[in-house]
């Protein structure tokens, strides 16, 4: 079998999924134009070496090299070395707080001269590989508690290490793996619990008086008891315990919130109420909305945006890059961009579902979920639907680390998919 | 088992995308407010610099205030048909200088052709008057006022510190994103330590301009402007008159004077000599002057009261005596023969008790006292015995605040040195050491190091009979009428106040009848003091004196270090007593002493 493999394995004979690659190229190209639009000055071309767009072009060329490398490497490499890659990235993350270079007060970069890499970006694909490998092990059963704990350990480790670097946004990304677990058979109860906890958290902050919430819980409890009055004692105890734990969560929210760092408190509060901190984070969101809103239906046109060129919108070429799209290309441009992202995500899910090997399928879902999380949180933040959390918009935000990390993430799937016919069914 | 999960996930994703599109439709198409808020190409953000807080002395006299200066900003995109000859004439520049300005502009990190960027900074009011009439002729240029520091006194430059443009490295470390390139920040002294309170909060005004760059008033009727919030004023503990008098006495000398109000820890005066005129480090000539001052071989930027470390000299004997009394190895009546074979001494005396030994600053006495403390016979091994004794001695000494930064509200405080067993282990690289190796610490020589501030604090501690409040320079921030919390707390030493009273009596005797009688004694008030002469081979000794007065309810404690000026009883004692007189009575009744100090020939 191995000898016939060699022949098939060359790039030419791979059955690459050109739809995915096409969307990828479109996104990267639009991203590049957009970065140029942010920093553009009169009489400067997109190739002007002073501009970020030139550096982004260098990053794109680097990404192409990475793509070639991924396609050349044997597909079995990724599964065989999944744990090794995961361990290696964790090790690097562990080192960063000590030998990383400081950027903006956080030590989350590895740097040589003016060139810096952010290892936490690469933890995403490494964790996706490790999770997929674990789920893809022969005889893996999701209903085994030990397996479930291991799966949470796999995402817990990078979360912890990244929290140490105070990069809360990137740490949150790993929570999205619960959707992969759900797809692979974990009870939806966990995800619902997570969403429920978040809802209660926000509710508690919105309703200043906790006693109102306690009252609501009390009423709900009475209703539940009344409806279940003919059921077994066990059920009643369960309901009561549930009511108490709800009350406990509510009381703990205030405590947790008070112990968050000041700027995180402000970010959360300014999402709930932008006027709460109009000079700080609320200002960011308001300015971002002004930029996007001023684009109207058709936008102001390429390079014609003004809001994103003054200092009105913070971090214009990284976290708030979507403002430029909204401003220069209007609602149509936003629709097109969101459409492209949804196209990519659905194509990835399609690829994942057609895999014959559980490793590849789980990996595919991890890719889709990570893209979705970045897409949702980043755009949600710029239009005021989510707190200001600094995570990049894939392929649009300026920066080498994120572009390369997303490229690696996606093209490992493309590579796995290209060889799906050579894998024995193992689901 | 997992039926429908694929669909559930996809439906969830689509719902999020639809929510986004609906929200975007509402802010982009339905809500017309946002378009009005973002009028094309017409809003110029102009920085509204906060007024920096004033710095006053303890009686409300202003020490540091603000004076207006002007920056010339450029919006590159709006500069059209610049008449460079005219520009050079108005701004007194040569064509080369102008070309260089444009070149530098491009190289700046924050440079953007559509944003106002500083082109020329720190124009004075005089320049402004000339430029004002012509500014309309240069489209694309705006004048922006801001403030620079000004001073009512030439005194205490080092304690006040200076304000200048923020450095690149500090800008990168600024997590709150408070500063921009070109912003001012307190660099040293009070200006740096209290930066957070002094700086206030900068605001932004949005000005509307039409296509030709004409001012069309404020954007959105000023609703989006954030007004600057002025910084908080600081009331310092400094007595301006006393401070200026101290600097007057110190003219041409090098060293320091620190005066503290003992019961509050408030610093009344802090003289560092040589010093510089603080006005030199403001305004447009900052760079040139800074270069001159920082390379001056007399080190005027070196804040001696907290950065110079000296051996304490004989004044350390007071501390030594109290520790020995506390350890119970001597009583006030313990007599020791002045055996000058081990260690030299001075003056005619032979067999003194504790008071006599302090009055005459008897070296053999304290050599003996230290031996009693370090070798108490707690171990048969002389090496171990010394180690145990030194450990106890070290604990007492550090309780006076020696060997650690006291925590004054100024940056760069040095900690001095009180040798511990660990220190000698390092110094002797593991070889054993005992009393005979380290006895020179007995008389404040050897490895001991103190900074003048610690000696002033020590004088205040003795004046308080047993405690100190960390010396500080600011007694009120804004309207707080309180210093920072760490300056309200009493620090008790490990010594009983009874032992302090013995030290106080001895210090009274020093001035009454001992080494301090000629130049430190005052007619109207009992001064308690101690002289010190710090050996400094081969150069002349440092002259040192600590004192406080009156003996009961002390109002002022002083330490004086005059470098290379011989005996403590001369320069330092004279200056300390003059400072006490000035503070208590507003001036001296002993013109001959003042004249002696001003003449400055202490070695003759």
């Amino acid at each position: 079998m191995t000898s016939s493999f060699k022949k098939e394995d060359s790039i030419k004979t791979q059955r690459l999924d050109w739809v995915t690659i096409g969307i990828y190229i479109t996104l990267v190209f639009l991203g590049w134009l957009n970065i140029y639009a942010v920093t553009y000055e009169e009489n400067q071309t997109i190739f002007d070496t002073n501009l970020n767009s030139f550096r982004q072009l260098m990053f794109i060329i680097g990404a192409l090299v990475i793509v070639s490398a991924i396609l050349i490497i044997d597909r079995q490499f990724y599964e065989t070395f999944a744990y090794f890659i995961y361990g290696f990235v964790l090790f690097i993350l562990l080192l960063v707080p000590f030998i990383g270079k400081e950027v903006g007060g956080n030590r989350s970069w590895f740097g040589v001269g003016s060139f810096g890499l952010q290892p936490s970006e690469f933890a995403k694909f490494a964790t996706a590989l490790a999770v997929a490998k674990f789920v893809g092990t022969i005889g893996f059963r999701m209903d085994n508690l030990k397996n479930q704990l291991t799966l949470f350990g796999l995402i817990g480790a990078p979360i912890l290490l990244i929290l140490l670097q105070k990069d809360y946004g990137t740490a949150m990304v790993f929570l999205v793996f619960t959707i992969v677990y759900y797809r692979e058979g974990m009870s939806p109860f966990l995800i619902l619990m997570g969403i429920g906890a978040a809802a209660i958290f926000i509710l508690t902050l919105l309703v200043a008086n906790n006693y109102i919430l306690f009252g609501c819980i009390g009423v709900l409890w009475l209703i539940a008891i009344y409806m279940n009055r003919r059921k077994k004692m066990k059920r009643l105890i369960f309901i009561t315990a549930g009511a108490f734990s709800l009350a406990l969560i509510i009381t703990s929210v205030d405590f947790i919130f008070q112990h968050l760092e000041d700027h995180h408190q402000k970010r959360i509060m300014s999402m709930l109420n932008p006027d709460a901190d109009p000079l700080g984070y609320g200002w960011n969101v308001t300015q971002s909305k002004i930029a996007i809103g001023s684009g109207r239906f058709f936008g102001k046109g390429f390079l014609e945006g003004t809001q994103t060129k003054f200092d009105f919108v913070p971090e214009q070429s990284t976290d708030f890059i979507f403002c430029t799209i909204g401003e220069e290309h209007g609602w149509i441009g936003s629709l097109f961009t969101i459409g492209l992202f949804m196209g990519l995500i659905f194509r990835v899910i399609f690829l994942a579902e057609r895999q014959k090997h559980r490793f590849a399928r789980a990996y595919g879902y991890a890719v889709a979920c990570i893209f979705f999380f970045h897409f949702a949180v980043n755009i949600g933040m710029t239009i005021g639907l989510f707190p200001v959390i600094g995570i990049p918009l894939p392929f649009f935000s300026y920066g080498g680390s994120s572009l390369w990390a997303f490229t690696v993430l996606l093209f490992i799937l493309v590579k796995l998919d290209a060889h799906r016919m050579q894998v024995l069914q193992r689901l | 088992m997992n039926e429908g999960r694929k669909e559930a996930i996809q439906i969830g994703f689509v719902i999020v995308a639809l929510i986004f599109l609906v929200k975007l439709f509402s802010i982009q198409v339905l809500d017309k407010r946002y378009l009005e808020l973002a009028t094309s190409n017409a809003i110029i953000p102009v920085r509204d610099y906060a007024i920096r807080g004033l710095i006053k002395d303890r009686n409300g006299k202003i020490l540091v205030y603000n004076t207006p200066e002007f920056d010339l900003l450029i919006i590159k995109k709006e500069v059209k048909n610049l008449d460079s000859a005219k520009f050079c004439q108005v701004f007194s520049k040569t064509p080369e200088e102008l070309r260089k300005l444009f070149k530098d502009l491009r190289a700046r990190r924050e440079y953007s052709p559509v944003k106002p960027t500083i082109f020329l900074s720190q124009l004075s009011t005089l320049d402004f008057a000339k430029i004002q009439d012509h500014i309309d002729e240069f489209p694309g240029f705006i004048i922006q006022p801001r403030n620079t520091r000004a001073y009512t006194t030439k005194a205490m430059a080092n304690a006040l510190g200076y304000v200048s443009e923020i450095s690149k490295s500090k800008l990168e470390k600024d997590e709150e994103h408070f500063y921009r390139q070109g912003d001012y920040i307190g660099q040293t002294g009070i200006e740096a330590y209290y930066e957070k309170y002094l700086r206030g909060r900068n605001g932004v005004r949005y000005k509307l301009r039409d296509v030709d760059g004409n001012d069309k008033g404020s954007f959105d009727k000023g609703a989006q402007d954030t007004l600057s919030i002025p910084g908080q004023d600081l009331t310092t503990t400094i007595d301006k008159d006393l401070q200026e008098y101290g600097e007057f006495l110190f003219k041409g000398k090098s060293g320091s004077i620190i005066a503290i109000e003992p019961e509050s820890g408030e610093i009344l005066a802090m003289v560092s000599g040589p010093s510089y005129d603080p006005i030199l480090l403001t305004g447009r000539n900052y760079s040139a002057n800074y270069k001159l001052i920082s390379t001056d071989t007399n080190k005027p930027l070196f804040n001696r009261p907290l950065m110079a470390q000296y051996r304490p000299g004989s004044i350390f004997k007071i501390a030594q005596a109290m520790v020995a009394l506390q350890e119970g190895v001597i009583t006030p009546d313990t007599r020791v023969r002045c055996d000058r074979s081990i260690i030299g001494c001075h003056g005619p005396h032979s067999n003194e008790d504790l008071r006599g030994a302090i009055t005459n600053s008897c070296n053999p006495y304290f050599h003996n006292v230290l031996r009693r403390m370090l070798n108490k016979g707690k171990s048969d091994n002389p090496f171990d015995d010394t180690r145990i004794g030194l450990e106890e001695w070290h604990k007492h000494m550090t309780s006076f605040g020696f060997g650690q930064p006291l925590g004054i509200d100024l940056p760069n405080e040095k900690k001095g040195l009180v040798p511990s067993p660990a220190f000698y282990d390092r110094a002797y690289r593991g070889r054993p050491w005992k009393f005979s190796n380290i006895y020179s610490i007995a008389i404040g020589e050897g490895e001991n190091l103190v900074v003048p501030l610690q000696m002033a604090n020590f004088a205040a501690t003795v004046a308080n009979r047993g405690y100190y409040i960390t010396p500080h320079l600011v007694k009120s921030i804004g309207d707080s009428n309180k210093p920072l919390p760490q300056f309200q707390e009493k620090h008790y030493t490990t010594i009983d106040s009874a032992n302090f009273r013995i030290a106080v009596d001895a210090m009274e005797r020093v001035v009454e009848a001992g080494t301090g009688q000629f130049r430190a004694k005052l007619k109207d008030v009992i001064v308690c003091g101690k002289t010190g002469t710090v050996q400094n081979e081969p150069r002349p000794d440092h002259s040192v004196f600590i004192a406080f007065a009156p003996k009961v309810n002390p109002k002022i404690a002083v330490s004086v270090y005059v470098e290379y000026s011989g005996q403590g009883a001369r320069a330092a004692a004279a200056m300390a007593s003059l400072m006490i007189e000035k503070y208590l009575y507003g001036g001296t009744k002993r013109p001959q002493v003042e004249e002696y100090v001003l003449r400055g020939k202490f070695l003759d």
Side-chain angles (χ1 to χ4, degrees):
Chain A
M1 190 171 161
T2 38
S3 60
S4 66
F5 245 47
K6 280 244 163 75
K7 205 173 136 200
E8 271 185 277
D9 222 27
S10 71
I11 289 187
K12 281 178 195 156
T13 56
Q14 291 181 25
R15 301 157 111 197
L16 297 174
D17 182 58
W18 286 100
V19 177
T20 309
I21 296 173
I23 299 176
Y24 169 81
I25 291 172
T26 314
L27 283 170
V28 169
F29 180 70
L30 292 181
W32 179 51
L33 289 183
N34 216 43
I35 285 164
Y36 172 57
V38 173
T39 46
Y40 156 80
E41 295 168 3
E42 222 171 358
N43 308 324
Q44 280 185 307
T45 73
I46 198 163
F47 299 106
D48 199 306
T49 47
N50 287 335
L51 294 184
N52 277 350
S53 55
F54 178 78
R55 302 188 63 186
Q56 183 75 4
L57 182 63
M58 296 297 113
F59 296 144
I60 292 171
I61 292 168
L64 294 181
V65 175
I66 290 170
V67 167
S68 323
I70 289 172
L71 295 182
I72 288 166
I73 294 171
D74 191 285
R75 69 168 170 84
Q76 291 186 331
F77 170 83
Y78 304 108
E79 187 175 359
T80 313
F81 289 96
Y83 291 148
F84 178 79
I85 294 170
Y86 176 75
F88 179 73
V89 172
L90 285 193
F91 176 68
I92 299 282
L93 281 178
L94 198 64
L95 288 185
V96 171
F98 304 104
I99 57 171
K101 76 174 185 183
E102 224 174 275
V103 176
N106 285 356
R107 225 180 254 282
S108 57
W109 291 72
F110 257 136
V112 184
S114 64
F115 181 78
L117 268 187
Q118 211 173 355
S120 55
E121 290 292 330
F122 295 90
K124 293 170 203 165
F125 93 89
T127 308
L129 279 177
V131 163
K133 166 121 181 176
F134 187 70
V135 171
T137 320
I138 298 167
F140 172 83
R141 289 179 62 88
M142 192 53 105
D143 51 9
N144 178 325
L145 181 70
K146 209 176 132 196
N147 283 347
Q148 292 188 356
L149 288 178
T150 311
L151 284 175
F152 282 107
L154 281 176
I155 58 174
I159 287 179
L160 241 133
L161 291 175
I162 293 170
L163 282 180
L164 283 182
Q165 305 165 12
K166 298 197 175 170
D167 185 354
Y168 301 96
T170 309
M172 274 178 70
V173 175
F174 293 85
L175 295 177
V176 85
F177 276 91
T178 45
I179 300 181
V180 182
Y181 298 167
Y182 166 69
R183 170 63 188 85
E184 293 299 330
M186 198 176 274
S187 158
F189 185 63
L190 273 170
I191 297 170
L192 289 179
M193 245 173 38
I195 294 173
I200 291 172
F201 189 87
I202 289 170
L203 208 65
T204 314
L205 293 179
L206 279 180
V207 181
N209 190 343
N210 282 350
Y211 293 106
I212 296 174
L213 291 174
F214 289 141
C216 293
I217 292 171
V219 172
L220 285 176
W221 176 74
L222 282 176
I223 294 170
I225 292 287
Y226 179 77
M227 282 168 65
N228 291 291
R229 65 188 181 284
R230 291 183 215 292
K231 298 280 165 55
K232 279 182 191 155
M233 196 60 195
K234 208 174 156 192
R235 167 82 57 108
L236 296 181
I237 292 172
F238 186 73
I239 291 169
T240 314
F244 268 107
S245 46
L246 269 182
L248 207 70
I249 291 174
I250 289 168
T251 29
S252 66
V253 165
D254 275 343
F255 178 80
I256 294 170
F257 194 70
Q258 295 307 323
H259 285 76
L260 282 177
E261 279 181 38
D262 200 33
H263 61 285
H264 291 118
Q265 280 187 24
K266 280 186 182 160
R267 284 183 205 195
I268 293 170
M269 282 320 284
S270 60
M271 177 200 59
L272 300 175
N273 173 17
D275 296 331
D277 180 23
L279 304 182
Y281 291 100
W283 189 85
N284 290 0
V285 175
T286 309
Q287 295 306 321
S288 153
K289 282 203 258 181
I290 291 175
I292 293 173
S294 68
R296 311 292 291 152
F297 195 80
F298 292 107
K300 295 175 185 168
F302 184 53
L303 303 184
E304 299 295 324
T306 54
Q307 293 304 297
T308 45
K309 285 213 188 63
F310 292 120
D311 224 357
F312 284 120
V313 181
E315 281 104 34
Q316 305 144 21
S317 43
T318 54
D319 296 343
F320 280 88
I321 189 80
F322 188 75
C323 296
T324 315
I325 302 171
E327 189 189 4
E328 297 195 343
H329 306 290
W331 190 75
I332 288 291
S334 308
L335 174 71
F336 185 68
T337 311
I338 290 175
L340 268 178
F341 272 107
M342 289 318 278
L344 178 72
I345 291 164
F346 275 73
R347 186 69 191 175
V348 167
I349 292 179
F350 171 77
L351 295 187
E353 287 291 344
R354 78 177 181 190
Q355 300 304 310
K356 294 194 287 180
H357 183 1
R358 201 172 181 181
F359 164 76
R361 184 178 71 194
Y363 182 79
Y365 263 93
V367 174
C369 291
I370 291 169
F371 276 119
F372 174 74
F373 187 87
H374 275 267
F375 157 82
V377 172
N378 181 285
I379 296 183
M381 156 184 99
T382 57
I383 57 181
L385 291 176
F386 213 80
V388 178
I389 288 170
I391 61 171
L393 184 63
F395 311 122
F396 278 84
S397 292
Y398 168 74
S401 293
S402 87
L403 174 65
W404 292 348
F406 286 121
T407 303
V408 172
L409 186 70
L410 184 63
F411 275 85
I412 290 178
L413 178 69
V414 170
K415 174 74 180 176
L416 293 174
D417 177 69
H419 297 276
R420 69 182 185 283
M421 302 311 279
Q422 299 158 7
V423 182
L424 295 174
Q425 183 106 13
R426 243 208 289 156
L427 278 177
Chain B
M1 178 174 78
N2 298 333
E3 284 305 305
R5 294 204 165 183
K6 175 183 137 190
E7 286 76 16
I9 293 170
Q10 297 189 359
I11 289 169
F13 286 4
V14 169
I15 289 174
V16 171
L18 286 179
I19 291 174
F20 283 3
L21 287 173
V22 169
K23 173 83 181 183
L24 281 164
F25 194 78
S26 101
I27 61 175
Q28 291 187 297
V29 183
L30 299 181
D31 197 336
K32 294 188 171 56
R33 204 161 45 109
Y34 291 112
L35 184 64
E36 287 163 24
L37 285 176
T39 324
S40 169
N41 200 14
I43 307 158
I44 303 294
V46 179
R47 225 132 191 248
D48 180 18
Y49 285 102
I51 296 170
R52 204 171 164 84
L54 306 177
I55 303 178
K56 303 174 195 162
D57 94 332
R58 64 188 293 114
N59 301 314
K61 291 183 194 162
I62 288 175
L63 298 170
V64 185
Y65 62 103
N66 300 298
T67 173
E69 58 169 21
F70 301 88
D71 290 337
L72 183 70
L73 307 184
I74 183 172
I75 304 167
K76 185 72 200 313
K77 206 177 167 187
E78 293 183 6
V79 177
K80 283 170 193 129
N81 312 321
L82 178 67
D83 182 347
S84 50
K86 183 91 188 266
F87 188 93
C88 289
Q89 186 211 326
V90 171
F91 290 92
S92 334
K93 296 277 165 207
T94 65
E96 286 77 38
E97 282 173 329
L98 183 64
R99 226 167 292 143
K100 191 168 177 304
L101 279 171
F102 274 107
K103 218 177 111 197
D104 292 347
L105 182 69
R106 287 217 151 232
R108 247 180 272 172
R109 204 163 60 119
E110 289 196 337
Y111 169 69
S112 151
V114 290
K115 241 170 28 185
T117 315
I118 293 179
F119 191 67
L120 279 173
S121 60
Q122 298 164 337
L123 306 167
S124 69
T125 2
L126 262 170
D127 299 327
F128 178 65
K130 190 170 79 175
I131 293 160
Q132 204 181 17
D133 301 334
H134 295 281
I135 192 74
D136 293 345
E137 298 163 32
F138 307 113
F141 289 93
I142 323 172
I143 286 180
Q144 174 174 271
R146 71 161 152 183
N147 289 305
T148 185
R149 284 307 219 187
Y151 302 84
T152 61
T153 173
K154 289 184 181 185
M156 63 183 291
N158 274 304
L160 292 171
Y162 59 90
V163 168
S164 71
E165 277 190 20
I166 187 167
S167 66
K168 226 174 159 184
S169 60
K170 271 198 190 142
L171 203 55
E172 273 167 16
K173 282 192 202 127
D174 171 29
E175 269 185 61
E176 303 162 79
H177 298 289
F178 184 91
Y179 301 96
R180 307 270 182 110
Q181 196 162 14
D183 278 5
Y184 286 160
I185 185 170
Q187 300 284 9
T188 58
I190 292 175
E191 298 273 19
Y193 193 92
Y194 289 97
E195 168 70 15
K196 200 166 67 167
Y197 303 98
L198 287 168
R199 69 188 183 186
R201 178 166 186 144
N202 293 326
V204 181
R205 290 176 199 278
Y206 296 104
K207 301 248 181 201
L208 274 180
R209 326 194 97 209
D210 64 12
V211 186
D212 301 321
N214 296 317
D215 201 332
K216 291 282 173 194
S218 51
F219 163 66
D220 201 12
K221 299 194 185 89
Q224 304 291 318
D225 293 0
T226 55
L227 293 181
S228 63
I229 301 164
Q232 290 174 282
D233 295 349
L234 300 181
T235 305
T236 63
T237 58
I238 295 291
D239 183 312
K240 189 178 175 219
D241 297 338
L242 186 66
Q243 175 76 30
E244 285 174 343
Y245 183 64
E247 306 224 350
F248 169 68
L249 295 179
F250 229 86
K251 200 175 256 172
K253 306 170 187 76
S254 131
S256 60
I257 302 177
I258 300 138
I260 297 180
E261 183 179 80
E263 83 173 303
S264 62
E266 292 175 359
I267 295 175
L268 301 167
M270 187 154 96
V271 179
S272 177
S275 185
Y276 62 94
D277 185 349
I279 201 75
L280 292 174
L281 294 186
T282 65
R284 212 180 339 173
N285 297 322
Y286 167 79
S287 306
N289 287 334
Y290 182 79
K291 210 170 163 189
L292 279 177
I293 293 173
S294 62
T295 53
D296 189 328
T297 48
N298 289 324
K299 296 196 184 163
L301 285 175
F302 185 62
N303 194 15
R304 286 172 171 77
L306 14 151
M307 295 169 75
Q309 305 190 92
Y310 307 95
R311 283 185 310 253
S314 296
I315 48 181
F316 209 55
K317 287 171 184 162
I318 304 286
Q320 212 71 273
M322 285 190 286
V323 174
L325 287 167
Q326 186 69 26
E327 285 286 300
V329 297
I330 56 166
T331 68
D333 302 324
T334 304
R335 284 179 186 276
V336 172
R337 194 170 63 85
C338 183
D339 176 358
R340 302 184 182 190
S341 63
I342 321 160
I343 193 163
C345 202
H346 29 70
H349 59 272
S350 57
N351 194 24
E352 296 288 343
D353 65 358
L354 180 62
R355 281 189 187 86
I358 290 176
T359 314
N360 292 302
S361 204
C362 176
N363 289 340
Y365 189 93
F366 285 96
H367 175 266
N368 184 284
V369 164
L370 186 73
R371 182 199 291 280
R372 293 177 187 218
M373 279 192 279
L374 298 194
N375 293 342
K376 293 198 205 83
K378 287 190 179 173
S379 167
D380 292 338
N381 180 330
F383 297 106
D384 288 348
D385 197 31
T386 307
R387 174 178 295 273
I388 295 167
L390 188 68
E391 193 70 65
E392 288 161 348
W393 178 85
H394 180 262
K395 188 191 76 198
H396 289 300
M397 282 301 173
T398 47
S399 83
F400 288 111
F402 295 130
Q404 66 216 327
L406 285 169
I408 188 183
D409 44 358
L410 288 180
N412 304 324
E413 187 188 355
K414 290 278 184 293
K415 60 182 184 184
L417 175 68
V418 177
S420 64
F423 170 83
Y424 284 118
D425 286 344
R426 272 198 305 279
Y428 284 88
R429 301 218 187 92
R431 278 175 285 130
W433 45 270
K434 57 182 171 66
F435 175 74
S436 56
N437 301 104
I438 65 174
Y439 68 84
S440 50
I441 59 175
I443 57 165
E445 299 285 340
E447 290 79 13
N448 284 310
L449 284 176
V450 293
V451 295
L453 179 69
Q454 288 170 340
M455 286 323 301
N457 186 55
F458 176 70
T461 312
V462 179
N464 289 336
R465 276 74 163 171
Y467 72 88
Y468 67 88
I469 290 175
T470 305
H472 53 280
L473 281 162
V474 171
K475 57 191 278 184
S476 170
I477 300 167
D479 301 323
S480 74
N481 280 325
K482 274 195 305 245
L484 294 173
Q486 67 264 38
F487 303 126
Q488 300 174 27
E489 190 190 330
K490 286 182 182 175
H491 300 275
Y492 282 91
T493 62
T494 52
I495 311 295
D496 297 340
S497 56
N499 295 332
F500 271 99
R501 282 194 286 275
I502 296 166
V504 170
D505 288 343
M507 286 171 74
E508 183 188 355
R509 290 272 303 157
V510 169
V511 178
E512 187 56 37
T515 49
Q517 59 182 305
F518 305 106
R519 292 189 187 86
K521 202 196 295 188
L522 297 179
K523 217 184 277 169
D524 306 322
V525 65
I526 299 176
V527 176
C528 304
K530 179 75 190 84
T531 55
T533 307
V534 179
Q535 294 162 21
N536 214 16
E537 297 292 337
R539 300 187 64 182
D541 299 337
H542 294 324
S543 171
V544 186
F545 195 72
I546 61 167
F548 62 87
K551 184 186 175 192
V552 182
N553 283 331
K555 293 281 168 248
I556 179 170
V558 193
S559 95
V560 180
Y561 268 80
V562 192
E563 294 175 358
Y564 315 118
S565 299
Q567 290 168 13
R570 295 184 170 196
M575 282 187 182
S577 63
L578 286 170
M579 289 295 280
I580 291 172
E581 250 186 319
K582 172 79 182 174
Y583 183 65
L584 295 180
Y585 306 111
T588 183
K589 288 180 193 155
R590 304 172 299 154
Q592 75 284 2
V593 177
E594 190 178 276
E595 204 176 296
Y596 168 76
V597 168
L598 291 176
R599 198 163 4 114
K601 304 227 184 294
F602 306 117
L603 293 172
D604 302 343

